Amino acid sequence: MKKVMMGNHAISHGATLARVQVIAAYPITPQTQVVELLSEIVADGKLKAEFIKVESEHSAMAACIGASSAGARAFTATSAQGLALMHELLHWAAGARLPIVMADINRAMAPPWTIWTDQNDSLSQRDTGWMQIYCQSNQEVLDSVIMAYKVAEKVLMPIMIVLDAFSLSHTYEIVDLPDQALVDKYLPPFDYKYKLDVKNPHTYGGLTTPDWYMEFRVKMHEAMDQALVEIKKEAGEFEKIFGRRYDTVDPYLVEDAETVLVTSGTAASTARFTVDQLRAQGKKVGNLRMRVLRPFPFADVREQLKNAKKVIVIDRNISYGYHGIWAQEVKSALYGHSKVPVFNFIAGLGGRDIFPETIADIVALVDKKKKPDQELYWVEVKR
Amino acid sequence: MKPTLPLEELMSPGHLACQGCGAGIAMRVTLKALGQDTIFTFPACCWTVIDGPFPYSCLEVPLLHMAFEATAATASGIKAAMDALGKSKTTICGWAGDGGTFDIGLQALSGAAERNDDIFYFCYDNEAYMNTGIQRSGATPYGAWTTTTPVKHFKKEAKKSIDDIVAAHKVPYQATASVAYPEDLFKKLVKAKDIRGFKFIHIISPCPPGWKARPEDTVKLARLAVQTGIYPIYEVDGGKYVQTMKTPNRKPVLDYLKLQGRFKHLKESDVADIQKMVDTRYAELEKRFSEK
């Protein structure tokens, strides 16, 4: 059934279709509609779930950890400061090997106070052990929540579904709402092998000496490697049932492109619009949309960028004193495999629009250069 | 002789508690009252260590170790899952020390109490951060030495009244208890187990290394804490205060203080100040005990 809905409601519907059993959440703009709609759905009895209205994001994640440990499918959603407050427990959820799914609506970090989008909130949680999936449409958001449980429950690692504040969270698009029966077929109920069970009591997370700590960590890393296999497998499985395909990366006209624009989130849609315009002018430009941050799809990135003469990474984030974060990731993947020059542009922080002209200007600038003459370029900044 | 408590043990020997640890007794009695159909979550606290290092555990019930400030919210999450999975009969317990309750875990505690989540929240109170080496907490009493309140600058603030803070949430049941009176604790827990909603149990649990006391004095100290009126034991059942261990002839606080090295620097005038503080607090509670 096709419906017009905002990105935030696409998350709520995704969680409902995934039959989540425990929701714990705390309000923060721009995430609020996710949990407002979910609380209505639960109160109306349309989803059989417990909804804990906690007093902080830290407690939201703590409750999800408790619920998931007890064997329930747990869900939460947050943004920016809320995600940062959870930081300690993001490590905990991953270290405890819990298949929790969370939506993060990308909002820039304060100060100064802001509610608009950029990716520094989620990207600074890169090393917590959470998978991260960046979406560009409301359909992808809904589908990704459902797929997230499938992958998370296979490898026992948590997943963050990430979308831009306002330009996706509050933007209405047509979304195909899948049939519950089909979702049930795709995503069966989950029986957590390591749940808290009074009939088979175990202790989880106890004090561990240097003799064993690394063994837990290597298993997490191997689970992430396996997650990459599962994500690629599920791209096919999901497509078979629902007719839509989501892989680790999403290429657009890259095959013969001399210059490839690497983007993520909604900036990718804008980049594609610009690619079409530039192609009409005869310029061989393509777009590679990064969808999965962790586990990082090294092989796919290398494969998609193998023909490029120049790579432009547009980062809606910044690692102060270094590069944009996607640029670091892409360069690291290419190192030793390719000599293609990588140009890094920082754009759209704190919700500033990235227009087609912004991207066209970036491409024009890069056209004049053989290789980068700066570590990174700030776009359209007042000085 | 008929035993006053069940003989069944859900806590095994071989745990890592110090000699004379009050927190060990508190857990042992609690498990006797709550039984096998119980799940615990611990934050960082002495019990993180007492339970035993991976892969060992001295508890015969499921246990989830968790971050320091997260006890109550974690227990709420476990409870919600058990409700969602049709296992509502299982008793869910958060079990934290005083630092994890009075200080860093207070927000989550207040949240769960306000929501009236159907869980037990236990605070075994040894009156400082004992696990990290005896640093002062909001539960450390006036006058005490700790490693962050050295003798020259002993603790000048009174113990935070956590019981009053919880009472302000008007929870269905709360109680104070002492490891010197296991039957009293047992009775309270058996009663509370059948009460739906938030239950707060605060257990005074002497710590020989932290209190600079002899291990064999643990029970004596826990008893004197009650008999001096420093730590009256009572319950608040549906808003009604009932003193469960009456102390008509209260002993002087000095009897309690003098057995502990953490108070040995105190002058006579300091002891008199403490006596006065205890008397005032006791009179306040007596008023509540006498309310019909």
Side-chain angles (χ1 to χ4, degrees), chain B residues 99-212:
Chain B
T101 302
F102 287 62
D103 297 346
I104 196 168
L106 185 60
Q107 176 180 314
L109 166 61
S110 172
E114 183 267 332
R115 293 189 302 271
N116 196 23
D117 287 341
D118 187 14
I119 56 171
F120 270 100
Y121 188 106
F122 289 91
C123 172
Y124 65 95
D125 180 3
N126 50 29
E127 302 196 317
Y129 291 88
M130 296 312 186
N131 197 32
T132 44
I134 326 171
Q135 294 81 21
R136 68 90 90 182
S137 77
T140 305
Y142 175 90
W145 161 90
T146 67
T147 54
T148 49
T149 50
V151 166
K152 256 204 316 193
H153 310 285
F154 63 78
K155 189 165 183 266
K156 296 288 177 7
E157 303 82 25
K159 183 180 178 115
K160 190 191 282 187
S161 183
I162 193 74
D163 304 303
D164 289 349
I165 292 171
V166 173
H169 294 73
K170 306 207 183 306
V171 299
Y173 186 86
Q174 70 182 94
T176 59
S178 157
V179 295
Y181 300 98
E183 292 85 355
D184 173 77
L185 171 60
F186 181 86
K187 219 174 119 187
K188 284 168 176 165
L189 297 183
V190 169
K191 177 183 187 181
K193 204 180 152 186
D194 290 330
I195 296 172
R196 301 278 64 84
F198 194 81
K199 282 103 31 191
F200 180 72
I201 312 292
H202 181 189
I203 309 170
I204 190 76
S205 310
C207 168
W211 292 14
K212 306 274 171 227

Side-chain angles (χ1 to χ4, degrees), chain A residues 50 56 58 88 202-204 207, chain B residues 54 57 63 65 69 80 107:
Chain A
E50 301 292 323
S56 73
H58 195 279
E88 177 196 25
H202 287 283
T203 289
Y204 299 98
L207 186 66
Chain B
F54 172 82
S57 172
L63 161 63
H65 286 281
E69 65 280 55
Q107 176 180 314

Side-chain angles (χ1 to χ4, degrees), chain A residues 21-22 50 52-56 58-59 62-63 66-67 69-70 72 88-89 92 197-198 201-208 216, chain B residues 36-39 51 53-54 57 60-67 69-70 73-74 76-78 80-81 83-85 107-108 111 115:
Chain A
Q21 291 162 306
V22 174
E50 301 292 323
I52 316 174
K53 284 124 192 182
V54 286
E55 82 300 329
S56 73
H58 195 279
S59 284
S69 299
E88 177 196 25
L89 296 187
W92 205 286
D197 182 358
V198 293
H202 287 283
T203 289
Y204 299 98
L207 186 66
T208 299
F216 284 97
Chain B
Q36 192 92 56
D37 194 7
T38 305
I39 295 175
D51 181 56
F54 172 82
S57 172
E60 286 169 38
V61 293
L63 161 63
L64 179 66
H65 286 281
M66 225 337 210
E69 65 280 55
T74 308
S76 296
I78 298 172
D83 285 346
L85 299 168
Q107 176 180 314
R115 293 189 302 271

Side-chain angles (χ1 to χ4, degrees), chain B residues 32-45:
Chain B
K32 282 174 185 285
L34 299 182
Q36 192 92 56
D37 194 7
T38 305
I39 295 175
F40 277 86
T41 182
F42 296 172
C45 61

